[in-house]
Amino acid sequence: MTDLTRLTAADLAAKLASSEVSSVEATQAHLDRIAAVDGDVHAFLHVSDHALEVAADIDRRRAAGEQLHELAGVPLAVKDVLVTTDMPSTSGSKILEGYMSPYDATVVARSRAAGLVPLGKTNMDEFAMGSSTEFSAYGPTRNPWDLDRIPGGSGGGSAAAVAAFEAPLALGSDTGGSIRQPAHVTGTVGVKPTYGGVSRYGAIALASSLDQVGPVTRTVLDAGLLHDVIGGHDANDSTSLSDAWPSFAAAAREGATGEVLKGLKVGVIRELDDRGFQKGVSDSFRVSLAAMEAQGAEIVEISAPHFEYGVAAYYLILPAEASSNLAKFDSVRFGLRVTPQGTPTVENVMATTRDAGFGPEVKRRIILGTYALSAGYYDAYYGSAQKVRTLIQQDFDAAFAQVDVIATPSAPTTAFRLGEKLDDPLQMYLNDVTTIPANLAGVPGISVPSGLAEEDGLPVGIQFLAPAREDARLYRVGAALEALLLDQWGGPLLDKAPSLTNGASL
Amino acid sequence: MRHLGVLARIQLSDEEVQSLTGQLDAIVDNIAKVSEVATPEVVATSHPIPLENVFRPDVVQQQLTREQVLQNAPDQADGRFRVTAILGEEQ
Amino acid sequence: MAKDALMDFDEALEMFEPVLGFEVHVELNTATKMFSAAPNPANEANHGAEPNTLVAPVDMGLPGALPVVNAEAIRSSISLGLALGCSIAPSSRFARKNYFYPDLGKNYQISQYDEPIAFEGSVEVELEDGTIVTVPIERAHMEEDAGKLTHMGGATGRIQGAEYSLVDYNRAGVPLVEIVTKPIFGAEHSAPALAKAYVATIRDIVRGLGISEAKLERGNLRCDANVSLRPRGQEKLGTRTETKNVNSMRSVERAVRYEIQRQAAILAKGGTITQETRHWHEDTGRTSPGRPKSDADDYRYFPEPDLLPVVPAPALIEELRAALPEPPAARRRRLKAEWGFTDLEFQDVANGGLLDAVADTIAAGAAPAAARKWWTGEITRVANAQERDAADLVSPANVAALQKLVDAGTLTDKLARQVLEGVIAGEGTPQEVVDARGLAVVSDDGALIAAIDDALAAQPDVLAKIRDGKVQAAGAVIGAVMKAMKGQADAARVRELVLERAAQ
Ligand SMILES: [Mg+2]
Ligand SMILES: [Zn+2]
């Protein structure tokens, strides 16, 4: 029998639908894989102790002839930023250790309703602040391609789980690249939808005006299938769009035929050209562009003069919003409480708890954000950063008047070594230079594997950006390139990743 | 820096105060960078996708039970959350 | 707590000009909260709920929860803004006011900052003596209430000396409109009276709009009173204090008077006023300095990213404007004319807070004079004795029904007062009390005649006097008959019958 963990979600779903495979079998296979490799990878913070029951229920319903969703019975990993009623939700922080939410995040509720089987909660940088998952309070996740390297962040756990075949699908959240950059360094697919395309209700907020939940998968089609489940209007999120969205899975299937590449105008950003990108990253990017060009796409140089202000604006807006969003962790209603010696006041208890419960990166950003909002500076700091958003949106508008999609390398370098940039937060922040503009402008982005960097053999991703609400375009283009490259490679990129088990359970 | 710690309700150690003080420069650099282009005539964008008048009908929907409200309480009494004295002895 | 030195009020007014300002928080009575679909405890239907039973995730700041604006709260806020003569902002937005306090689930309050929904208005306030003062309104903005803290372990239930506190988040998220005045000049000796009348006017407005239960004792209306003094002839405003959460109209009046006297005493001695919030103590009739909040002036406001701008359609504003009730001052002028009351009679009603009660009683069929007499007379007397609000004792419909029984001769004035007592005691409608207590006037002549004949037989000397034409002697017999009938007889009818029987 084939290894069920190596199947794409779409293929597994087909086998489930035809009852060739049961959800219990599929779920058990993934739980076994987790047991075999997660000691090394550490993608999961919590593994569900009732996933098999959920799977058995799906099997029962299928046997009873119930009409089930296309993905029913397929296992799903859930980033710990999303609250769940049946598993703890910590957002990677000690301050929420053991926290049990009385309600499910909308995306989780929709996944359950579709019959997806939550396997567990995945590791992340504490409160999604980071690009390496090294800032998780529960220890880092390791990159399945090289266990000494970072899996990206903040959603390193979801990306690593998918890359290590511990789950076919995962949910992530992307505030400045936390879905796309981990996809880039793990050879997986990640989508940040249009802001408002997927509900934020139940996603523990980092920066409310930037956060967006999206799919983390191994193929573009799988991402589309999951996006179809979680997307759409939610009355519990005021910023949720009420648009009638097309099927993203259908867009991916259509894109895989390659037709979309004929005459497609792909913009490359002139100003990104001279940045310090790793050679293997730039090379891989150019190979992908050439492949698309060969199929009839037209590469057009565009200008985005304000993108270079994006990182600065982002690091004013994010800490400001985060400092306010994270004020609720105060030891009163939930979470950690640390009571200092003597006869403390509630103010002392709050301050001591927050000092003990937050990690250094979280404290750093809260303090910076508090400063950026403090008396008299709002206009100069936060307000000015919001103006940069306008300028970046104008850059996008001008660009999309000329091209259908914009392409960039998903991140400047391949996976760096654990610990390498820990002492240099600013260097770490620069990782997000390619991903941040999409969050600031609210436009959708996808990262698709483009190959391996020659110098280190590590995965590289290519990012496509589309106008707001044109997520379907990303699935078409992403699936088209994916099909082309798969042909060139003769199989999925992840086939080249180490097995991790020394052959033990395979 | 101490004042920021008070505002943010984080009991900062001396070392934390020192290292964070240095890092405030990062914010200052960002401000300088942003100020190059954030001129008065540029309007601010607070929401990436502009919407307005998003309201909910005034209809009661299921809320939390008291058990759910209190299920994560670090301390509780009489169906309420219990917290340490708000004022110190000298206040 | 050291006693403050106070200057005589009139003396203070001679030296200083008082400048007032008010911030009144109105709790809206919508079915649900400002940003969640949990039941609103400021709606009568949910009053008195058990702690932490009216809570949605966003009210207690649960991780991942998001606010969604209540459409009805927006309508109420626009109506209130219009009733205050304000302009409605073409676009307004919410902001986060950041500060830590255990009753604040998110440790920020969603409020409005630089773009309130209503701004620049004015409201006519009528003082007890009939003077009309125009109070300028700066803004009215929407926000959410905080939860409720109960301080335990101390001697007084006060925050000072408490060992610990308990938090109930039922009130967290109750929709509020905060009405902020501009500085009010020229109130002079009437400053305390104006404070009271202003709060009464806001209460009348929100009650008229039906957007709040408007019960001060429940905190549906809460007033912060700003007071500053400046020496006569000085242009520059003095330093102000803000006395927080004064929860009755009488207290607002007293607190303003107290602050004027306290500040005058300090300033006259060459001292300076500390800009601070102060607390009003009902028991001692004094104010005391509030807790010095270290971060009071650094709320780090920024636009609430979870919510979108409010852009009311002009048609909606006009619809709500057209539905506005008459402003309280105009209504008073109209009612006074309609009812034909003298100035004194009308002030009696108005100052007793009985305008609505009297109006409703008249609407239920009573004559204006009768309605006024009941409310300012017997009902007010009972209310004072029971230390309750007259309007809460009895319904206008019952008062009208009571008067109808008097008009029909079923009850004498004296009997009617007994019936009223029964109605107040919750024994039912006036007719039910009459029936249950058997209080109606005895209109059966047979019973009266028997009693009269007994009385005449018992007092033959009186009978003789009446027969001699000394009609006034009949009083003694009438008294005896009324006593025998336990007062349940119409004295005029008894008199008629006594003269009739004596003549036989
Ligand atoms: Mg105020
Ligand atoms: Zn307020």
Side-chain angles (χ1 to χ4, degrees):
Chain A
M1 184 170 134
T2 50
D3 178 359
L4 297 177
T5 67
R6 308 291 292 195
L7 297 173
T8 67
D11 290 344
L12 178 58
K15 288 185 191 297
L16 288 163
S18 67
S19 296
E20 182 188 333
V21 168
S22 73
S23 179
V24 167
E25 288 167 324
T27 303
Q28 187 63 60
H30 286 93
L31 291 172
D32 291 347
R33 175 71 180 173
I34 291 169
V37 306
D38 210 52
D40 286 337
V41 178
H42 194 225
F44 284 88
L45 293 178
H46 179 92
V47 177
S48 172
D49 53 16
H50 52 271
L52 288 171
E53 288 165 44
V54 175
D57 185 54
I58 294 293
D59 290 338
R60 255 192 307 278
R61 286 165 59 190
R62 197 187 305 281
E66 194 175 321
Q67 196 59 46
L68 298 175
H69 185 275
E70 185 176 357
L71 287 180
V74 176
L76 170 75
V78 179
K79 189 178 179 182
D80 208 32
V81 76
L82 299 165
V83 299
T84 46
T85 50
D86 58 342
M87 296 180 277
S89 307
T90 71
S91 211
S93 181
K94 283 287 179 206
I95 211 162
L96 272 182
E97 189 159 16
Y99 173 74
M100 292 300 291
S101 173
Y103 74 99
D104 273 327
T106 297
V107 291
V108 171
R110 288 182 179 178
S111 298
R112 290 194 211 278
L116 286 159
V117 179
L119 284 177
K121 305 296 286 287
T122 58
N123 200 9
M124 56 185 285
D125 287 297
E126 184 177 1
F127 289 112
M129 295 182 189
S131 306
S132 67
T133 317
E134 291 168 289
F135 290 125
S136 167
Y138 302 97
T141 297
R142 292 164 184 276
N143 191 322
W145 289 80
D146 177 346
L147 295 175
D148 291 331
R149 290 179 188 264
I150 60 109
S154 65
S158 281
V162 169
F165 299 96
E166 296 174 86
L169 301 172
L171 292 172
S173 69
D174 189 313
T175 304
S178 289
I179 288 175
R180 291 161 289 158
Q181 181 258 8
H184 162 89
V185 295
T186 59
T188 57
V189 174
V191 177
K192 182 206 90 79
T194 295
Y195 184 83
V198 177
S199 171
R200 292 184 296 117
Y201 189 70
I204 299 174
L206 170 54
S208 311
S209 72
L210 301 165
D211 297 345
Q212 195 57 204
V213 177
V216 176
T217 60
R218 290 192 291 267
T219 71
V220 175
L221 173 58
D222 286 358
L225 287 164
L226 185 53
H227 193 160
D228 283 345
V229 169
I230 61 174
H233 184 250
D234 177 16
N236 284 325
D237 174 0
S238 300
T239 60
S240 167
L241 299 173
S242 53
D243 299 43
W245 298 95
S247 163
F248 301 118
R253 287 187 170 112
E254 184 196 320
T257 65
E259 283 300 307
V260 64
L261 296 177
K262 296 199 175 78
L264 182 80
K265 288 191 174 140
V266 180
V268 291
I269 301 167
R270 184 184 307 139
E271 290 84 358
L272 270 187
D273 208 44
D274 49 10
R275 294 235 163 224
F277 281 49
Q278 188 181 319
K279 182 169 181 304
V281 170
S282 301
D283 289 348
S284 175
F285 179 60
R286 267 184 270 281
V287 168
S288 289
L289 291 183
M292 293 172 78
E293 215 170 1
Q295 297 302 311
E298 185 188 339
I299 310 301
V300 181
E301 192 174 77
I302 53 153
S303 175
H306 298 100
F307 278 25
E308 66 166 301
Y309 300 92
V311 174
Y314 179 81
Y315 282 102
L316 290 174
I317 294 168
L318 180 138
E321 293 185 11
S323 70
S324 176
N325 282 331
L326 269 56
K328 61 172 64 78
F329 303 104
D330 65 357
S331 82
V332 174
R333 294 160 302 282
F334 43 75
L336 184 71
R337 176 179 293 184
V338 180
T339 305
Q341 297 290 311
T343 49
T345 63
V346 70
E347 185 174 334
N348 304 142
V349 176
M350 287 181 182
T352 307
T353 300
R354 289 163 63 79
D355 184 49
F358 289 142
E361 180 65 12
V362 173
K363 281 188 244 183
R364 171 161 42 231
R365 296 206 200 178
I366 289 176
I367 292 292
L368 296 183
T370 303
Y371 177 64
L373 288 176
S374 63
Y377 298 138
Y378 156 73
D379 266 342
Y381 299 2
Y382 189 81
S384 295
Q386 300 283 44
K387 291 183 172 187
V388 172
R389 300 181 82 149
T390 308
L391 296 169
I392 287 177
Q393 281 189 336
Q394 288 169 358
D395 283 359
F396 272 120
D397 288 347
F400 288 126
Q402 296 171 260
V403 298
D404 301 305
V405 292
I406 294 171
T408 75
S410 298
T413 69
T414 55
F416 49 86
R417 289 181 192 285
L418 287 161
E420 195 178 315
K421 295 186 181 174
L422 258 182
D423 298 328
D424 190 355
L426 288 190
Q427 186 56 43
M428 187 94 88
Y429 295 173
L430 283 176
N431 253 307
D432 308 333
V433 61
T434 50
T435 46
I436 278 173
N439 300 84
L440 289 171
V443 306
I446 188 171
S447 178
V448 179
S450 64
L452 300 179
E454 216 183 318
E455 60 269 36
D456 54 20
L458 290 168
V460 175
I462 180 171
Q463 171 183 238
F464 294 107
L465 302 170
R469 300 181 151 95
E470 293 296 335
D471 306 47
R473 198 180 293 175
L474 295 180
Y475 283 99
R476 267 185 226 106
V477 173
L481 175 64
E482 180 185 53
L484 267 183
L485 294 177
L486 236 62
D487 257 11
Q488 287 186 9
W489 300 332
L493 194 65
L494 277 165
D495 284 355
K496 296 175 185 160
S499 73
L500 295 173
T501 56
N502 307 318
S505 68
L506 299 179
Chain B
M1 180 54 62
R2 289 261 175 233
H3 176 63
L4 291 175
V6 171
L7 281 180
R9 284 289 186 283
I10 300 179
Q11 185 72 51
L12 296 172
S13 67
D14 291 344
E15 302 88 82
E16 283 173 324
V17 167
Q18 238 186 352
S19 74
L20 284 167
T21 305
Q23 286 162 6
L24 280 189
D25 295 349
I27 284 280
V28 175
D29 291 346
N30 286 341
I31 292 151
K33 177 89 180 166
V34 157
S35 304
E36 290 171 23
V37 289
T39 50
E41 65 276 9
V42 181
V43 293
T45 293
S46 56
H47 294 87
I49 311 290
L51 296 173
E52 59 190 33
N53 292 339
V54 178
F55 304 137
R56 147 184 82 70
D58 186 26
V59 177
V60 173
Q61 273 168 24
Q62 118 290 341
Q63 70 275 3
L64 301 172
T65 63
R66 175 140 78 178
E67 290 62 41
Q68 288 176 317
V69 169
L70 294 167
Q71 76 182 27
N72 291 286
D75 195 5
Q76 57 175 293
D78 299 334
R80 286 169 286 180
F81 296 88
R82 183 180 157 136
V83 295
T84 317
I86 290 171
L87 296 186
E89 281 163 339
E90 77 286 1
Q91 284 171 298
Chain C
M1 195 164 38
K3 235 179 192 173
D4 297 311
L6 300 182
M7 184 187 278
D8 171 74
F9 184 72
D10 289 325
E11 213 177 304
L13 264 292
E14 243 164 68
M15 294 178 67
F16 302 103
E17 180 197 356
V19 180
L20 303 180
F22 303 103
E23 291 170 22
V24 171
H25 285 87
V26 177
E27 288 187 337
L28 301 179
N29 62 356
T30 47
T32 65
K33 294 189 181 182
M34 186 74 223
F35 302 115
S36 87
N40 174 10
N43 177 299
E44 187 65 44
N46 309 311
H47 179 67
E50 289 293 303
N52 289 313
T53 56
L54 306 177
V55 181
V58 74
D59 304 323
M60 60 179 291
L62 283 187
L66 294 171
V68 187
V69 175
N70 181 343
E72 191 59 30
I74 298 286
R75 291 173 64 95
S76 298
S77 302
I78 294 173
S79 293
L80 180 49
L82 291 171
L84 296 169
C86 288
S87 303
I88 302 303
S91 176
S92 72
R93 61 178 171 178
F94 291 97
R96 290 188 187 177
K97 179 181 183 178
N98 295 284
Y99 65 97
F100 283 83
Y101 213 67
D103 60 7
L104 204 57
K106 306 179 289 295
N107 285 317
Y108 57 81
Q109 179 195 32
I110 306 178
S111 181
Q112 294 192 304
Y113 181 52
D114 50 359
E115 297 182 28
I117 190 157
F119 58 96
E120 295 282 328
S122 67
V123 56
E124 280 195 330
V125 173
E126 189 176 336
L127 304 184
E128 297 205 349
D129 64 2
T131 316
I132 302 260
V133 178
T134 301
V135 172
I137 304 292
E138 182 172 303
R139 58 187 280 160
H141 68 252
M142 299 178 283
E143 59 186 25
E144 57 178 338
D145 211 341
K148 201 174 148 197
L149 283 163
T150 310
H151 306 296
M152 310 294 286
T156 55
R158 279 205 202 138
I159 191 168
Q160 292 86 1
E163 275 169 42
Y164 62 98
S165 300
L166 297 176
V167 202
D168 166 16
Y169 291 97
N170 280 355
R171 197 179 63 187
V174 166
L176 296 177
V177 177
E178 179 176 340
I179 303 164
V180 183
T181 68
K182 294 181 181 178
I184 304 162
F185 301 95
E188 299 296 347
H189 281 76
S190 301
L194 174 63
K196 178 183 175 184
Y198 173 71
V199 176
T201 303
I202 298 296
R203 181 202 56 190
D204 292 348
I205 288 173
V206 299
R207 212 180 251 173
L209 289 167
I211 59 172
S212 172
E213 306 296 341
K215 295 197 163 92
L216 274 79
E217 69 277 12
R218 284 191 193 168
N220 296 146
L221 240 63
R222 305 193 289 266
C223 180
D224 304 342
N226 298 323
V227 177
S228 70
L229 300 183
R230 59 178 173 185
R232 295 280 161 195
Q234 179 182 302
E235 182 81 23
K236 194 170 163 275
L237 289 178
T239 305
R240 67 187 169 86
T241 61
E242 182 176 10
T243 305
K244 286 278 191 194
N245 287 333
V246 197
N247 286 344
S248 82
M249 289 188 292
R250 204 172 83 93
S251 303
V252 174
E253 182 173 27
R254 291 170 69 201
V256 166
R257 177 180 291 271
Y258 182 89
E259 271 302 290
I260 290 172
Q261 292 182 266
R262 188 187 67 87
Q263 291 184 20
I266 293 170
L267 292 171
K269 275 200 279 179
T272 53
I273 304 301
T274 315
Q275 177 157 359
E276 62 187 353
T277 61
R278 297 184 67 86
H279 292 298
W280 168 250
H281 302 281
E282 189 67 50
D283 45 354
T284 57
R286 307 210 295 255
T287 65
S288 70
R291 188 173 73 105
K293 264 201 227 156
S294 51
D295 43 352
D297 54 353
D298 199 350
Y299 291 122
R300 291 159 285 135
Y301 281 101
F302 72 103
E304 166 57 280
D306 288 327
L307 295 173
L308 288 312
V310 177
V311 184
L316 171 68
I317 297 173
E318 289 323 308
E319 174 202 325
L320 294 171
R321 193 194 305 279
L324 286 184
E326 203 174 9
R331 177 166 178 252
R332 286 168 179 232
R333 280 192 290 274
R334 176 177 60 79
L335 291 178
K336 180 164 176 286
E338 277 178 19
W339 294 344
F341 290 175
T342 65
D343 285 355
L344 269 181
E345 285 170 344
F346 191 79
Q347 279 163 28
D348 235 18
V349 173
N351 298 339
L354 297 168
L355 220 49
D356 287 335
V358 170
D360 292 347
T361 306
I362 292 168
R372 179 181 58 76
K373 269 188 212 142
W374 276 117
W375 284 104
T376 60
E378 185 64 10
I379 300 173
T380 294
R381 190 188 65 74
V382 177
N384 290 342
Q386 298 189 4
E387 293 186 326
R388 289 172 65 192
D389 215 355
D392 290 344
L393 287 184
V394 52
S395 72
N398 278 340
V399 175
L402 185 63
Q403 181 58 34
K404 210 169 264 174
L405 292 171
V406 173
D407 292 343
T410 311
L411 294 176
T412 61
D413 282 355
K414 192 172 165 214
L415 280 174
R417 283 197 292 274
Q418 290 180 39
V419 173
L420 176 69
E421 181 199 305
V423 173
I424 290 171
E427 292 168 25
T429 64
Q431 188 60 57
E432 284 163 1
V433 175
V434 166
D435 294 345
R437 291 197 182 184
L439 280 177
V441 166
V442 175
S443 50
D444 170 11
D445 282 0
L448 289 179
I449 287 166
I452 288 166
D453 288 351
D454 285 353
L456 289 172
Q459 304 180 70
D461 50 326
V462 175
L463 177 62
K465 281 182 186 167
I466 296 171
R467 285 184 172 157
D468 278 358
K470 290 181 178 155
V471 178
Q472 63 272 31
V477 178
I478 295 167
V481 171
M482 292 303 283
K483 202 173 171 190
M485 302 308 295
K486 296 189 176 99
Q488 290 174 245
D490 178 351
R493 179 68 185 147
V494 171
R495 182 184 168 80
E496 255 176 58
L497 288 173
V498 167
L499 298 180
E500 225 172 77
R501 297 304 288 178
Q504 283 173 6

